[in-house]
Amino acid sequence: MQRVDLQQGLSFSRIVYGMWRLGDDTDTSPAHVRAKIDACLEQGITTLDQADIYGGYEAEEILGAAMTPDLRQEVEIVTKCDIVAPVGRYADAPVKYYDTSRAHIMASVDHSLRLMKIEQIDLLLIHRPDPMMDHRETGAALDAVVASGKVRAVGVSNFKQHDWTLLQSATKTPLVTNQIELSLSALDGFTNGDLAYLQERGIAPMAWSPLGGGALMSSNTALTKVMDRIAADQGVDRAAVAVAWLLAHPAGILPVMGTNTIERIKRFSAAFKVDMTRPLWFELYTAAQGHEVP
């Protein structure tokens, strides 16, 4: 498994296991959760992606129930904060909103540490751009959680360039990633500057929903026919082709793969078997766009 250095002393596996749907499984027992993580570790996938809101604010606790000291030594944990939705511990919220205040960030970090039964978060992301963000307050809060030792590194998710530069202007701690939607069904980031901005600065992007939320696996289109042909030629499945397409990009994208099916988890690393040549990359890109490049 390839690894990517986000900052000195912190590296992630190139493929990340996303735990967005962890609470949706019919079996959320510690043993079953551990079986999923073990299937990742067998492939060298050591990075686990969480968020406080996942599973109605329950997914972190489900992971925590399976967490042991020996497992903690083997994995890197990403989590996110700032979304307040009227469910779970925020059931009394009058409306869904974003909160990037110092008080909320501090409380969210403490919640995440307690629920996941860990002493330090490897990477904390601001989950969504907050149109009411006081960048100086948010930046100081991120600096504070790193200085406290509760968080090793910080970054963002779903930020545009102007959101990134605003926050970074008030944060002494470098932002180390932006987790954005990238896939064969979400192409905008490849041309709107989102990916180019990070690539120019040598910042590894994380890609959420790299299989298009599952649509790339279940649909029957001109694109999926090309994917199936390549998969058959190279002895892999359709998912491996979709992920290999992202891995081939020189920006160093880290796909965040989310599934509750252990057999699918065991096939994550098959993406590295795909010989994704430039012509193949553009054949998929052309099929995804529905027209050839100009």
Side-chain angles (χ1 to χ4, degrees):
M1 176 60 57
Q2 297 175 6
R3 297 193 67 81
V4 174
D5 292 330
L6 274 74
Q7 66 179 27
Q8 186 174 4
L10 179 62
S11 71
F12 282 3
S13 53
R14 186 71 190 279
I15 291 177
V16 175
Y17 181 40
M19 293 186 154
W20 172 37
R21 295 188 176 98
L22 196 64
D24 297 339
D25 201 344
T26 54
D27 184 355
T28 57
S29 67
H32 191 58
V33 172
R34 181 60 189 259
K36 297 176 194 178
I37 297 172
D38 285 343
C40 289
L41 294 176
E42 288 167 6
Q43 303 167 80
I45 298 170
T46 62
T47 307
L48 310 178
D49 181 77
Q50 275 278 0
D52 59 358
I53 194 174
Y54 288 173
Y57 301 97
E58 293 181 354
E60 289 182 325
E61 189 169 10
I62 293 171
L63 173 60
M67 187 58 61
T68 59
D70 64 306
L71 177 59
R72 183 65 186 101
Q73 296 302 311
E74 296 186 72
V75 299
E76 304 86 37
I77 295 177
V78 182
T79 197
K80 313 174 191 73
C81 70
D82 92 337
I83 302 177
V84 179
V87 295
R89 64 176 178 258
Y90 299 115
D92 293 337
V95 66
K96 184 179 180 181
Y97 64 96
Y98 304 140
D99 191 342
T100 51
S101 68
R102 179 186 178 92
H104 183 79
I105 291 171
M106 296 298 185
S108 295
V109 166
D110 286 342
H111 278 305
S112 294
L113 292 171
R114 176 179 57 82
L115 292 173
M116 292 189 286
K117 297 181 181 176
I118 59 177
E119 295 183 354
Q120 186 179 56
I121 296 164
D122 293 296
L123 175 61
L124 176 71
L125 305 181
I126 298 298
H127 204 159
R128 292 277 178 179
D130 175 9
M132 272 198 71
M133 180 176 71
D134 179 336
H135 64 299
R136 294 181 181 86
E137 180 179 355
T138 304
L142 294 179
D143 287 339
V145 293
V146 172
S148 72
K150 294 180 179 180
V151 172
R152 293 179 69 186
V154 295
V156 296
S157 181
N158 302 297
F159 271 42
K160 306 303 288 185
Q161 300 167 43
H162 49 271
D163 301 311
W164 175 289
T165 55
L166 176 64
L167 180 56
Q168 188 65 90
S169 72
T171 309
K172 296 176 183 177
T173 309
L175 303 175
V176 300
T177 193
N178 189 5
Q179 188 174 130
I180 55 179
E181 185 178 14
L182 294 169
S183 73
L184 279 163
S185 62
L187 302 173
D188 287 352
F190 292 90
T191 56
N192 67 5
D194 289 350
L195 199 55
Y197 181 85
L198 299 170
Q199 186 175 351
E200 179 186 359
R201 288 154 181 78
I203 296 165
M206 299 176 74
W208 61 265
S209 204
L211 303 182
L216 290 173
M217 301 300 100
S218 59
S219 58
N220 182 20
T221 64
L223 169 60
T224 60
K225 289 176 182 177
V226 175
M227 295 169 68
D228 287 342
R229 192 203 77 229
I230 296 170
D233 289 345
Q234 304 212 21
V236 296
D237 61 13
R238 191 187 288 184
V241 174
V243 175
W245 187 79
L246 292 173
L247 293 173
H249 195 279
I253 298 167
L254 284 72
V256 181
M257 302 290 291
T259 179
N260 281 316
T261 305
I262 291 178
E263 288 306 311
R264 291 178 183 171
I265 294 172
K266 290 179 178 179
R267 296 197 295 269
F268 282 170
S269 58
F272 291 102
K273 299 177 181 178
V274 178
D275 181 16
M276 185 59 63
T277 64
R278 183 177 288 263
L280 276 184
W281 196 93
F282 272 95
E283 185 178 0
L284 288 162
Y285 185 59
T286 298
Q289 290 192 106
H291 57 82
E292 67 179 12
V293 296

XYZ file of all heavy atoms in Angstrom, residues 253-294:
340
model
N -4.272 12.017 -5.133
C -5.578 11.920 -4.478
C -5.651 10.698 -3.567
O -5.197 9.614 -3.922
C -6.692 11.837 -5.546
C -6.697 13.111 -6.401
C -8.050 11.603 -4.911
C -7.535 12.995 -7.665
N -6.260 10.885 -2.388
C -6.516 9.785 -1.451
C -8.008 9.468 -1.480
O -8.815 10.184 -0.872
C -6.112 10.162 -0.018
C -4.634 10.173 0.349
C -3.912 11.364 -0.286
C -4.460 10.222 1.862
N -8.431 8.419 -2.185
C -9.847 8.069 -2.212
C -10.307 7.559 -0.848
O -9.630 6.761 -0.208
C -9.919 6.946 -3.264
C -8.644 7.045 -4.045
C -7.625 7.565 -3.073
N -11.484 8.043 -0.421
C -12.081 7.603 0.841
C -13.186 6.607 0.497
O -14.249 6.983 0.017
C -12.652 8.796 1.636
C -13.254 8.320 2.950
C -11.555 9.834 1.889
N -12.929 5.337 0.757
C -13.815 4.255 0.345
C -14.725 3.847 1.491
O -14.245 3.527 2.578
C -12.989 3.050 -0.098
C -12.024 3.344 -1.244
S -12.889 3.629 -2.778
C -13.525 1.986 -3.106
N -16.034 3.845 1.233
C -16.964 3.498 2.294
C -17.900 2.365 1.911
O -18.640 2.492 0.933
N -17.841 1.273 2.623
C -18.772 0.170 2.453
C -18.810 -0.632 3.747
O -17.847 -0.619 4.512
C -18.368 -0.758 1.286
O -19.311 -1.832 1.176
C -16.982 -1.350 1.502
N -19.921 -1.315 3.976
C -20.024 -2.191 5.139
C -19.807 -3.651 4.780
O -19.858 -4.516 5.665
C -21.410 -2.019 5.799
C -21.487 -0.769 6.662
O -20.569 -0.478 7.420
N -22.575 -0.035 6.544
N -19.560 -3.930 3.511
C -19.406 -5.305 3.050
C -17.932 -5.706 3.093
O -17.111 -5.132 2.378
C -19.942 -5.461 1.617
O -21.296 -5.003 1.577
C -19.877 -6.908 1.173
N -17.620 -6.679 3.926
C -16.218 -7.050 4.129
C -15.575 -7.538 2.836
O -14.408 -7.233 2.560
C -16.094 -8.097 5.250
C -16.432 -7.433 6.602
C -14.687 -8.697 5.298
C -16.387 -8.358 7.794
N -16.307 -8.278 2.017
C -15.735 -8.765 0.759
C -15.356 -7.611 -0.159
O -14.350 -7.696 -0.873
C -16.716 -9.717 0.056
C -16.844 -11.067 0.734
C -15.493 -11.755 0.940
O -14.714 -11.822 -0.023
O -15.218 -12.213 2.062
N -16.119 -6.538 -0.147
C -15.759 -5.364 -0.948
C -14.545 -4.667 -0.360
O -13.685 -4.176 -1.086
C -16.948 -4.406 -1.029
C -18.108 -4.931 -1.852
C -19.263 -3.965 -1.845
N -20.414 -4.478 -2.568
C -21.616 -3.913 -2.578
N -21.825 -2.796 -1.881
N -22.609 -4.455 -3.263
N -14.504 -4.581 0.962
C -13.339 -3.973 1.609
C -12.072 -4.717 1.207
O -11.038 -4.098 0.910
C -13.503 -3.991 3.147
C -14.664 -3.087 3.566
C -12.211 -3.550 3.839
C -15.031 -3.187 5.038
N -12.134 -6.032 1.159
C -10.955 -6.830 0.822
C -10.452 -6.573 -0.599
O -9.295 -6.885 -0.907
C -11.275 -8.319 0.997
C -11.445 -8.753 2.437
C -11.778 -10.240 2.538
C -11.889 -10.687 3.983
N -12.240 -12.133 4.089
N -11.300 -5.980 -1.438
C -10.904 -5.712 -2.826
C -10.440 -4.276 -3.046
O -10.120 -3.899 -4.177
C -12.069 -6.029 -3.771
C -12.482 -7.493 -3.786
C -13.321 -7.811 -5.013
N -14.591 -7.116 -5.032
C -15.728 -7.604 -4.517
N -15.741 -8.784 -3.919
N -16.860 -6.906 -4.606
N -10.397 -3.455 -1.990
C -9.997 -2.059 -2.163
C -8.664 -1.933 -2.897
O -8.501 -1.122 -3.801
C -9.869 -1.358 -0.803
C -11.174 -0.954 -0.170
C -11.199 -0.501 1.147
C -12.374 -1.013 -0.853
C -12.389 -0.111 1.750
C -13.576 -0.631 -0.259
C -13.574 -0.173 1.051
N -7.676 -2.717 -2.491
C -6.328 -2.555 -3.033
C -6.186 -3.060 -4.461
O -5.138 -2.873 -5.084
C -5.307 -3.240 -2.131
O -5.609 -4.616 -1.990
N -7.234 -3.690 -5.007
C -7.175 -4.149 -6.400
C -6.976 -2.980 -7.359
O -6.506 -3.176 -8.490
C -8.443 -4.914 -6.757
N -7.314 -1.775 -6.921
C -7.131 -0.600 -7.781
C -5.680 -0.423 -8.199
O -5.399 0.097 -9.288
C -7.626 0.651 -7.058
N -4.755 -0.874 -7.375
C -3.333 -0.717 -7.700
C -2.877 -1.688 -8.783
O -1.778 -1.554 -9.314
C -2.480 -0.895 -6.439
C -2.645 0.232 -5.449
C -3.442 0.077 -4.327
C -2.023 1.453 -5.654
C -3.608 1.104 -3.422
C -2.174 2.494 -4.762
C -2.972 2.327 -3.638
N -3.719 -2.664 -9.112
C -3.376 -3.617 -10.168
C -3.675 -3.063 -11.563
O -3.225 -3.622 -12.560
C -4.151 -4.920 -9.971
C -3.875 -5.636 -8.664
C -4.748 -6.881 -8.542
C -4.519 -7.602 -7.223
N -5.416 -8.788 -7.083
N -4.446 -1.996 -11.617
C -4.890 -1.460 -12.901
C -3.785 -0.629 -13.538
O -3.210 0.256 -12.894
C -6.158 -0.606 -12.721
C -6.603 -0.012 -14.064
C -7.281 -1.427 -12.098
N -3.491 -0.910 -14.786
C -2.537 -0.116 -15.558
C -3.318 1.013 -16.221
O -3.829 0.859 -17.334
C -1.846 -0.997 -16.602
C -0.808 -0.232 -17.424
O -0.407 0.872 -16.989
O -0.427 -0.731 -18.496
N -3.424 2.148 -15.522
C -4.233 3.262 -15.995
C -3.372 4.180 -16.861
O -2.780 5.142 -16.394
C -4.830 4.021 -14.806
C -5.805 5.143 -15.182
S -7.241 4.613 -16.124
C -8.063 3.508 -14.977
N -3.291 3.849 -18.137
C -2.516 4.660 -19.069
C -3.225 5.989 -19.320
O -4.422 6.142 -19.043
C -2.340 3.931 -20.402
O -3.634 3.770 -21.012
C -1.693 2.565 -20.208
N -2.510 6.938 -19.878
C -3.137 8.220 -20.204
C -4.306 8.058 -21.188
O -5.379 8.649 -20.974
C -2.086 9.196 -20.753
C -2.617 10.590 -21.053
C -1.506 11.504 -21.519
N -0.621 11.850 -20.420
C -0.708 12.967 -19.704
N -1.661 13.834 -19.955
N 0.149 13.213 -18.736
N -4.154 7.266 -22.267
C -5.316 7.079 -23.156
C -6.518 6.466 -22.440
O -7.662 6.882 -22.688
C -4.777 6.148 -24.250
C -3.308 6.438 -24.290
C -2.929 6.689 -22.860
N -6.273 5.493 -21.542
C -7.387 4.906 -20.807
C -8.027 5.942 -19.886
O -9.259 5.996 -19.753
C -6.921 3.707 -19.977
C -6.828 2.348 -20.667
C -6.455 1.274 -19.657
C -8.122 1.993 -21.373
N -7.195 6.752 -19.240
C -7.711 7.791 -18.343
C -8.643 8.720 -19.111
O -9.752 9.025 -18.655
C -6.559 8.589 -17.722
C -6.939 9.407 -16.517
C -6.855 9.039 -15.215
C -7.490 10.737 -16.518
N -7.306 10.051 -14.398
C -7.702 11.103 -15.164
C -7.816 11.655 -17.518
C -8.226 12.334 -14.789
C -8.356 12.887 -17.153
C -8.555 13.223 -15.796
N -8.207 9.132 -20.309
C -9.025 10.051 -21.095
C -10.224 9.360 -21.733
O -11.255 10.003 -21.968
C -8.175 10.764 -22.150
C -7.540 12.015 -21.629
C -6.240 11.996 -21.132
C -8.232 13.214 -21.591
C -5.655 13.140 -20.623
C -7.655 14.371 -21.082
C -6.374 14.336 -20.595
N -10.130 8.068 -21.995
C -11.308 7.359 -22.497
C -12.406 7.370 -21.432
O -13.593 7.585 -21.740
C -10.935 5.925 -22.877
C -12.094 5.164 -23.513
C -11.737 3.755 -23.949
O -10.571 3.340 -23.754
O -12.630 3.075 -24.490
N -12.023 7.140 -20.187
C -12.999 7.196 -19.099
C -13.523 8.620 -18.893
O -14.728 8.826 -18.688
C -12.358 6.673 -17.805
C -12.123 5.174 -17.765
C -11.120 4.825 -16.671
C -13.432 4.411 -17.542
N -12.635 9.580 -18.970
C -13.021 10.993 -18.800
C -13.996 11.405 -19.892
O -15.000 12.080 -19.631
C -11.759 11.851 -18.841
C -11.944 13.318 -18.557
C -12.475 13.763 -17.354
C -11.546 14.283 -19.487
C -12.625 15.106 -17.082
C -11.687 15.637 -19.225
C -12.238 16.044 -18.030
O -12.379 17.382 -17.764
N -13.726 10.964 -21.118
C -14.606 11.285 -22.245
C -15.987 10.672 -22.059
O -17.016 11.318 -22.246
C -13.980 10.783 -23.565
O -12.733 11.462 -23.779
C -14.907 11.011 -24.739
N -15.987 9.393 -21.650
C -17.274 8.720 -21.422
C -18.042 9.370 -20.270
O -19.277 9.480 -20.315
C -17.039 7.240 -21.141
N -17.326 9.806 -19.248
C -17.969 10.444 -18.099
C -18.584 11.790 -18.482
O -19.666 12.157 -18.010
C -16.971 10.627 -16.963
N -17.875 12.540 -19.329
C -18.395 13.841 -19.771
C -19.504 13.705 -20.791
O -20.355 14.583 -20.929
C -17.277 14.674 -20.396
C -16.227 15.172 -19.431
C -15.341 16.206 -20.073
O -15.458 17.399 -19.781
N -14.467 15.790 -20.964
N -19.468 12.610 -21.562
C -20.437 12.419 -22.626
C -20.025 13.025 -23.929
O -20.791 13.042 -24.906
N -18.792 13.513 -23.983
C -18.265 14.073 -25.232
C -16.734 14.098 -25.139
O -16.164 14.094 -24.050
C -18.793 15.497 -25.493
C -18.484 16.460 -24.379
N -17.268 17.106 -24.244
C -19.243 16.886 -23.325
C -17.278 17.886 -23.178
N -18.467 17.762 -22.582
N -16.091 14.128 -26.289
C -14.636 14.156 -26.278
C -14.131 15.525 -25.859
O -14.867 16.530 -25.887
C -14.078 13.800 -27.656
C -14.365 14.806 -28.747
C -13.764 14.406 -30.094
O -13.319 13.255 -30.242
O -13.745 15.263 -30.993
N -12.886 15.577 -25.430
C -12.296 16.856 -25.036
C -12.173 17.740 -26.274
O -12.103 17.242 -27.400
C -10.929 16.646 -24.364
C -11.075 15.877 -23.058
C -9.955 15.937 -25.293
N -12.194 19.073 -26.090
C -12.132 19.973 -27.254
C -10.870 19.750 -28.092
O -9.832 19.378 -27.569
C -12.140 21.363 -26.614
C -12.749 21.168 -25.271
C -12.337 19.795 -24.835
